[in-house]
Amino acid sequence: MRWPLDRFAFGGDYNPEQWPEDVWAEDIRLMRQAGVSMVSVGIFSWAEVEPRPNEFDFGWFDRVMDNLANADIAACLATMTASPPPWLARLHPETLPQKADGTRLWPGARQAYCPSSPIYRDHAARLVDQVASRYHDHPALALWHINNEYGCHTRACYCDVSAEDFRGWLENRYQDITTLNEAWSTKFWSQRYDSFEEILPPRSAPTFANPTQQLDFARFSSDALLECFKREKEVIRRHSDAPVTTNHVPLAKTLDLYAWGKEVDVVSYDSYPDPFDKKAHILAGLSYDVIRSTRNGQPWMLMEQAPSAVNWRECNAVKAPGQMRLWSWQAIAHGADAVLYFQWRQSQGGAEKFHSGMVPHAGPDSRTFREVAALGAELQQYSEILGTQPDNEVALILDWDSWWALELDSHPSTALTQTGALLSHYTPLFEANIGCDVVHPDADLSKYKLVVVPNLYLVKDAANLTNYVRSGGHLLMSFFSGIVDGNDRVHLGGYPAPFREMLGIKIPEFRPLQDEITVEVLGSAATGTLWSEEIEPETAAVKGSFDFGPALTRNEFGSGVAWYLGTRLDEEAMRSLMNEVTAGAAVSPVLSGLPEGVQATRRGDFVILLNHTTNEVEVRKA
Amino acid sequence: MRWPLDRFAFGGDYNPEQWPEDVWAEDIRLMRQAGVSMVSVGIFSWAEVEPRPNEFDFGWFDRVMDNLANADIAACLATMTASPPPWLARLHPETLPQKADGTRLWPGARQAYCPSSPIYRDHAARLVDQVASRYHDHPALALWHINNEYGCHTRACYCDVSAEDFRGWLENRYQDITTLNEAWSTKFWSQRYDSFEEILPPRSAPTFANPTQQLDFARFSSDALLECFKREKEVIRRHSDAPVTTNHVPLAKTLDLYAWGKEVDVVSYDSYPDPFDKKAHILAGLSYDVIRSTRNGQPWMLMEQAPSAVNWRECNAVKAPGQMRLWSWQAIAHGADAVLYFQWRQSQGGAEKFHSGMVPHAGPDSRTFREVAALGAELQQYSEILGTQPDNEVALILDWDSWWALELDSHPSTALTQTGALLSHYTPLFEANIGCDVVHPDADLSKYKLVVVPNLYLVKDAANLTNYVRSGGHLLMSFFSGIVDGNDRVHLGGYPAPFREMLGIKIPEFRPLQDEITVEVLGSAATGTLWSEEIEPETAAVKGSFDFGPALTRNEFGSGVAWYLGTRLDEEAMRSLMNEVTAGAAVSPVLSGLPEGVQATRRGDFVILLNHTTNEVEVRKA
Amino acid sequence: MRWPLDRFAFGGDYNPEQWPEDVWAEDIRLMRQAGVSMVSVGIFSWAEVEPRPNEFDFGWFDRVMDNLANADIAACLATMTASPPPWLARLHPETLPQKADGTRLWPGARQAYCPSSPIYRDHAARLVDQVASRYHDHPALALWHINNEYGCHTRACYCDVSAEDFRGWLENRYQDITTLNEAWSTKFWSQRYDSFEEILPPRSAPTFANPTQQLDFARFSSDALLECFKREKEVIRRHSDAPVTTNHVPLAKTLDLYAWGKEVDVVSYDSYPDPFDKKAHILAGLSYDVIRSTRNGQPWMLMEQAPSAVNWRECNAVKAPGQMRLWSWQAIAHGADAVLYFQWRQSQGGAEKFHSGMVPHAGPDSRTFREVAALGAELQQYSEILGTQPDNEVALILDWDSWWALELDSHPSTALTQTGALLSHYTPLFEANIGCDVVHPDADLSKYKLVVVPNLYLVKDAANLTNYVRSGGHLLMSFFSGIVDGNDRVHLGGYPAPFREMLGIKIPEFRPLQDEITVEVLGSAATGTLWSEEIEPETAAVKGSFDFGPALTRNEFGSGVAWYLGTRLDEEAMRSLMNEVTAGAAVSPVLSGLPEGVQATRRGDFVILLNHTTNEVEVRKA
């Protein structure tokens, strides 16, 4: 078996080591009953297969793999490196990560390793070599699952080992210390470095640490984890050419997923919308569009979702009857070819025992298992969808560099978040059933009718976006975009300097808001929050106003049109604005005239309809 | 003099070292004026009697003891070990405790010692030997007060010395590492230990630490402090057979008081209800019933209460006129034979100078001293009460193991607390003047007409409770009970598996609540908060419902009756339910028909009536 | 050029090292255009002038100084020691400060040095020697700016080096350990020290650390920074007799500004009122009166203010048109002879790039620069004001010792703050246009008609205030005054013992408030918050009452009058009370009958009127 399968990958994390072997037979029986076609195995097996350094025991795991093969269930086989056994920390305490304030993080949970640690990396590589050499031609093997949820808990490490690695990364980036000093603006606050040896991670400091030091440390931390990934992949490739993947946690700021997307063969995602949140499906939709876009629309794997409740929020809601089916289909609607869960059998002990399982504590005679099995059966009828991709007309701009820089401290307002900005612009598109891709600002934009730039604070080079508009594209940009360069140094000359010509405006001053403000937009009264600013139109037409000046402008530039919005509009006003903008760009929805709360997406020739309300609705074919 | 005295023990902590000796004579004069019969002495005298290592100066303390004896005032004599002098930390910094994040706790306050430190324990033992050998036959000596408020501030220590001690404790508990691995579910998240040497306290980790590691560390921490106690007691017993006690802080989760109750001759309690809290007397009543029950109803000592305000809350209320008398009598009503205060004379300096004293800063010509003296006189008329005990028909179940496990992280809802659950069930009993004992789930329940189980998350063995009902007992159990075994591993097969037969129900799924929910109970509309769940009745009758299913059930089992409640009811509904349940169990109040806010308790032949309102009320003898 | 100049010092922090030299010429041109007469230079230049230990490069700085001299712009020349370069931390990590919990504070921001570090002090002294010897006779030099914002971020250090320094400071203060033990009340909680060697800073402890240890550590921390200052001044004095100053952050609790005022030649202040705060000008007025008073009314320097927004609040408001002019004039109205900004040119990079500059990112064609230049021109017409001082009739009492002690933990209420108490009493005086000085309780009070004591918790000697009243002065004192002596030990015998005779009252008990309370004051209903207390009048007349007793008293004592207030009154009641009290003391406002929101102050023969409202108002000369 090899990914992609000829049917939906359906199943979940399978951790048989948590159960006596006499349960395994029932596992296989129930998996077949539930239509399971793939499971993820071995994710937390390190301590069981290598109970002490360099002493391996794969016998039990061979039986697991054989059971799967015999049952025609594919294995998404983990490299087993996600959480080192306690013996590693005992022998090498310097492999434990450290927080910015110096707090050491100890074993007892998971992911207690410094990503830069050569000792951790060597031990991981040795284990991967064992796993890959042993199972590379096992009939169950479908693809390799490298590590697990990189950076979920240990997002960055500030220890001396990481400091050394950070210095090497910086030396590689800047070559000489003068260039770094210039990039980091170290003439401010007497921070000039005389050599790379003086540099440290942005550990606890008396006040705001150097922003570019923080920004580069975010870049480095993503790269340090990516180095771990690449090292494992390299070992795998010595033995196997099966596809590799690794699974990412929801809308994670930690990892630059564009860079990661280049390194995997298929991208995987763990999705945990909160059933208490009435708009959770919109945020989920956004996150699916992000993850799909990191591999240019290629079908992706929903590697984890909860069969019902999770256990790590303060209060953990169960999924209502039908909600798990709906949300599974939503992932498919946004391009997934796999629907997997964490985890197969709900744990009896440990920190996630109250996280739901496909087979819950109550056993298979339960609503959860019945809904899982029903979905498994249902999916078998829809294999035609596999491999199809959406073809969207709208691009939403997202850049991890800009995200990291945007959310640094010492800004005009600390209330701005990248996710908030994205969601504010994504929601009206989602509700209008207009499909979106999420792209890097330097991506090829030629296929898009509309480019939406919610908040692109950091811009290395404005040419790509500017050329897009000049050549006839339509673009909507919101506030606090185009402010700094790649080193977090301000583009001088009136904000947003690199986009001023395209937008036809100049902004001498920001006016962040504590309270909401009244604003007139496209002829209607609305409210703005978070932000306002002084906008001086140069060539742009004013389309909305604060009481003190323009709030929304529209500029014809080259053959295209560039809109600019200087506040966070309320949802209704944002809907009106997006209607106007998409209409002007001749963007068309997948379907129009659908009842409120009904989502429509297109994959190839298929249109998928999802009813996110709790009422029945009727939709007739036009 | 020996405890128990032939009169009420009345007095307080007496710290004459804080004052020049010429104040001591006035102390004795005022004590006699106030009816003081007992004082606690020496609690924080270590640094004064051992100013440098192994150099002792007891001369001044001899004079204190002699003064007391001459005035016929009994001494509750402390072992003086509660707070080591600064020289210990200077000579042995490794005796300082450490928090989970590695923060060292330094001298400057009190209790700055690692409970597992052999150095601290040895120094303490040497001091106790000095004290006990010197005063064992002093005429003032009534009983020994070992240490003080164990675990009040330093509840657990995570240092390397504690880690070593924890490993020893674990090795003793589990014998071999395989058993520990099974108990701790270490196959989850690759946590398998290869030897005891690898184990650490649950220090700061990247995410939730292993729950059983946390649970065992709570057990160990209680035991480590108990070891300190036992070591001191053992030294005392070489010299004296006078009774020993130690005083506990209010409703402390830290110490398993059942285990501690076995080691003392009389149990002591420090009670600090907040006068700003209109229901403080109910929480106080609960805590008194807990403390009394740890010695099976034997009269206990109210070792500390505030004459008026305390100083350690954010805002510290004074007691209204009469409130101190009322609350002192409440302790007696719940079984106390001693009414003592912290402290005799309000300190002039230090961290508790704004904690009220029996002799306040303003001197004896003050409301506080007058109320103290009036109570001292009053108590002299009631010596007949001494030694009597209540005889209650209702048992409330509390188990520290379950408390510790219940409040661990990664649960369906983090809003559940053991105290909240107890109080919700205790309040209607208190208001109905139905006396309660608080008992361990494995205690002899045969004398009780009703057993109330507010929230028994962890159950090692369900047989005792089940047999109680089977043999004709009545029982009321609330949600999230019977979930895990002694190792925090789920009892499989539908919650609450060990009680399913007794309750006649099965619960496949919890539904914790963010907001309140409407629920119908015994025919009336009510509200539920915190929790709901899917309850499938098997043999039980439904007595209340959520809109989606049963909320309250009643099951006849054997010769008895078992009620089950799946939410936290509002106070009025809880009152109705408890009326129904107690009526069904033929439980009778101490007195019925009393005005609202009037409490009645029974001790032997005495009925004590307390008016907790601010109005005068009239109660006529029936 | 020498301070004081013959014109207003107008300008700001000038950091040319952040810009290429070709920008410098434009700087000078724009400075002249804006009427700039003085700039602060070199504040963060250490790393640029000493790029590696003992290797100096002043060439570029020579050019900066020459440019200024050539343009007739005075230099407020910094000693450049405010933030050591990274090489210092690398060579000497023990110079890095440490928090109470042991967290090390690392380079990357600013002020990352332990104030007690002899290594830091030596390096600083060597640098100052270089700077002072090089520029002592430079024609641009007007005065020396020693360091910068001492204690702004690193307010205290708890490291071993600081501990050693603290012990030396204590030994100097107390001479012998017995005296310290008495002062620190160490017989409480077994804290007796056997030698100074045992003493540590008040590091993290299991509970409240010894209050006098905390108080002495606050005193020591102010002194440790003052030692840094004195060391630099001493080096300067070897080369130059030009005046010295250092700039203080707003209403800083950290530094005893009376002690600092004695060491500078002119006092400087950094003022950052929040434009979102509608009463920011009142708090600013108070802070200006504080700073002026630390040099007995001598004209002071507004060393920093924001041209518009700052960047370090959570949400940073811009100044409305005209607001910067208004607030600049307010500083002059309260005695400033300098109006300077942080900073000349808004930074392109670094942690303060979003802090406004006189020349903003948008360049000189901007509202901010235009308003700056207009003010620069305007001030040139008002040189006659320079050197004049106010002559106020009211003194507000403030003592840093008392401030430190007041805000320690373990008090009746933690909601009391010194600033809150000051502001509550200052506001009605400000609104009535009655000028205030802020004075130490032991200052000469003979010139004042009224002394206001908002909250003088710690009183070493009550004689000065008592004699003031006895000799005919009027005084208003509010609650929780006169409670402890200089060692935070309670004055016994009924609060406030040292003032009881003067006030004619006795207070046996405090009653801090959680909620507001109704109180009748001078015949009207009002509300009290934070505090109430039992006041027993002895010779005083009752002028206001809680429902349980007196709230406000007035006592004729000697030839004077002493009022006492036992709660925090609402603003309107406080206004009535202050009217009554000032009328009784025959205090007169600068002007009366002004429209609401119009402030009037007097400096010498000048009356300055400021309209703090957004409306136009008309004021006619009487």
Side-chain angles (χ1 to χ4, degrees), chain B residues 192-210:
Chain B
R192 178 189 176 280
Y193 294 99
D194 199 51
S195 75
F196 284 97
E197 281 65 38
E198 290 168 13
I199 301 178
L200 291 166
R203 293 176 179 168
S204 294
T207 180
F208 307 123
N210 182 299

Side-chain angles (χ1 to χ4, degrees), chain A residues 211-270:
Chain A
T212 319
Q213 178 189 19
Q214 293 186 63
L215 174 59
D216 272 347
F217 191 68
R219 289 166 169 148
F220 158 77
S221 298
S222 177
D223 282 357
L225 288 165
L226 188 55
E227 283 304 311
C228 293
F229 174 89
K230 286 156 80 172
R231 175 81 179 275
E232 294 198 18
K233 181 177 159 188
E234 181 195 86
V235 176
I236 288 171
R237 284 289 172 260
R238 286 184 220 148
H239 304 283
S240 164
D241 59 359
V244 301
T245 192
T246 187
N247 54 332
H248 295 300
V249 294
L251 280 179
K253 179 180 164 184
T254 309
L255 306 181
D256 177 354
L257 293 189
Y258 296 123
W260 286 71
K262 292 188 178 67
E263 303 291 339
V264 294
D265 297 304
V266 54
V267 71
S268 298
Y269 189 61
D270 299 348

Side-chain angles (χ1 to χ4, degrees), chain C residues 288-602:
Chain C
Y288 300 154
D289 291 342
V290 169
I291 205 75
R292 183 190 66 245
S293 298
T294 64
R295 289 286 296 170
N296 301 312
Q298 176 193 318
W300 54 282
M301 301 180 74
L302 179 64
M303 184 65 82
E304 292 185 15
Q305 67 170 334
S308 186
V310 300
N311 69 308
W312 38 263
R313 294 195 173 96
E314 297 206 345
C315 187
N316 298 286
V318 293
K319 288 182 178 170
Q323 194 165 31
M324 183 270 291
R325 173 178 172 240
L326 174 68
W327 285 0
S328 298
W329 269 105
Q330 194 194 0
I332 297 168
H334 284 265
D337 277 3
V339 172
L340 302 158
Y341 303 83
F342 180 84
Q343 61 179 332
W344 167 249
R345 197 178 272 276
Q346 189 169 6
S347 296
Q348 194 177 359
E352 292 194 326
K353 60 182 169 296
F354 292 112
H355 190 293
S356 56
M358 298 163 75
V359 182
H361 288 151
D365 179 15
S366 57
R367 173 166 74 86
T368 299
F369 185 75
R370 281 188 290 273
E371 292 195 24
V372 163
L375 180 62
E378 182 177 68
L379 289 184
Q380 292 174 16
Q381 308 161 35
Y382 292 95
S383 304
E384 287 169 89
I385 295 174
L386 297 172
T388 58
Q389 298 190 18
D391 185 20
N392 295 317
E393 299 175 347
V394 177
L396 207 61
I397 299 293
L398 172 62
D399 178 6
W400 263 261
D401 262 344
S402 185
W403 186 349
W404 292 325
L406 172 70
E407 296 180 1
L408 291 176
D409 48 35
S410 68
H411 277 199
S413 168
T414 57
L416 266 60
T417 64
Q418 189 66 72
T419 305
L422 285 166
L423 202 57
S424 157
H425 293 72
Y426 181 78
T427 298
L429 293 165
F430 182 95
E431 289 175 344
N433 287 307
I434 293 171
C436 284
D437 292 340
V438 177
V439 303
H440 188 276
D442 291 336
D444 176 7
L445 303 171
S446 56
K447 65 166 282 203
Y448 297 109
K449 290 186 176 172
L450 174 65
V451 169
V452 177
V453 189
N455 188 338
L456 189 66
Y457 165 70
L458 176 155
V459 174
K460 270 166 273 195
D461 184 348
N464 192 50
L465 289 168
T466 308
N467 289 338
Y468 166 75
V469 177
R470 186 180 286 117
S471 319
H474 285 233
L475 180 145
L476 167 62
M477 177 176 283
S478 284
F479 59 87
F480 211 45
S481 293
I483 304 304
V484 297
D485 67 14
N487 296 320
D488 198 39
R489 288 174 63 86
V490 171
H491 294 293
L492 298 177
Y495 316 115
F499 296 128
R500 275 184 56 197
E501 196 193 351
M502 176 185 82
L503 297 169
I505 59 169
K506 176 184 171 184
I507 299 166
E509 215 154 23
F510 309 127
R511 296 195 185 186
L513 300 172
Q514 276 189 329
D515 306 311
E516 69 178 27
I517 194 175
T518 299
V519 51
E520 172 276 317
V521 170
L522 299 172
S524 302
T527 55
T529 51
L530 278 179
W531 196 267
S532 68
E533 49 193 17
E534 291 180 19
I535 301 176
E536 296 179 3
E538 293 179 318
T539 60
V542 176
K543 294 292 185 177
S545 298
F546 305 115
D547 60 3
F548 58 80
L552 173 70
T553 60
R554 181 181 183 278
N555 193 43
E556 304 197 352
F557 175 71
S559 325
V561 172
W563 291 80
Y564 182 81
L565 175 61
T567 189
R568 173 74 45 88
L569 288 180
D570 64 71
E571 285 202 10
E572 193 182 318
M574 200 64 196
R575 203 147 37 217
S576 304
L577 171 58
M578 203 58 90
N579 277 345
E580 178 90 10
V581 170
T582 53
V587 169
S588 41
V590 172
L591 283 179
S592 56
L594 291 177
E596 196 178 315
V598 175
Q599 180 186 4
T601 71
R602 188 183 297 276

